[in-house]
Amino acid sequence: MTTTSRYLVSVSKVIAADRQWLFDILADPAQHPLIDGSGSVKALRPGGPGRLSLGASFSMDMHLTADYKIRNTVVEFEEPALIGWRHFNGHIWRYRLTEVAGGTEVTEEWDARGVPNRLGLVLLRFPQRNRAGMTATLERMAELAAARG
């Protein structure tokens, strides 16, 4: 299931895996390049926590047209159901995990509703680009779960 509005993109997929196992991947920022379907998350920068928690900050090496680094702060954290981090720009990357028949429904959200310059993000087509990357991320998570057995 995919929902796209002007400032919120939400993509869901049922993954045949334990909710805690999936949450553990999301709470380990070193795993983010492995699951990233956008191709923009390159590596965890040194100095951050090994496991995310509410208020934790971590930085990533990124690439989107050019190399850059970005610092994130965890602003939502309810283990093993919800984790979200905010970028400097104010938008939030959020994951909701719900137990369902056959595994876990994972919903990834890009939420720019609280961003002051959000119209610029829309004009640069971030909602559409992010939807494609999010769909690929959930596919990668499903592939990891399948490989794990």
Side-chain angles (χ1 to χ4, degrees), residues 29-118:
Q31 299 299 312
H32 294 184
L34 179 66
I35 63 170
D36 171 51
S38 73
S40 62
V41 181
K42 298 303 178 188
L44 175 65
R45 295 192 56 79
R51 181 171 171 82
L52 300 178
S53 60
L54 188 62
S57 290
F58 64 104
S59 297
M60 304 298 288
D61 287 329
M62 307 286 291
H63 182 86
L64 185 63
T65 308
D67 290 337
Y68 65 100
K69 59 185 168 197
I70 195 156
R71 187 163 185 81
N72 308 288
T73 301
V74 177
V75 295
E76 300 173 351
F77 191 91
E78 296 173 25
E79 188 165 348
L82 172 70
I83 187 168
W85 49 86
R86 180 178 289 133
H87 290 307
F88 72 94
N89 193 43
H91 55 281
I92 297 172
W93 288 98
R94 175 184 299 117
Y95 292 84
R96 299 178 190 276
L97 295 91
T98 306
E99 291 179 351
V100 296
T104 303
E105 181 179 55
V106 180
T107 300
E108 182 178 2
E109 296 177 346
W110 175 81
D111 187 349
R113 292 176 294 183
V115 175
N117 62 346
R118 63 183 180 248

Side-chain angles (χ1 to χ4, degrees), residues 1-5 8-15 96 98 104-110 130-132 134-136 138-139:
M1 182 174 120
T2 302
T3 303
T4 304
S5 70
L8 176 68
V9 178
S10 179
V11 178
S12 297
K13 180 175 183 59
V14 174
I15 298 175
R96 299 178 190 276
T98 306
T104 303
E105 181 179 55
V106 180
T107 300
E108 182 178 2
E109 296 177 346
W110 175 81
N130 289 337
R131 181 180 62 241
M134 293 160 66
T135 299
L138 296 181
E139 282 297 322

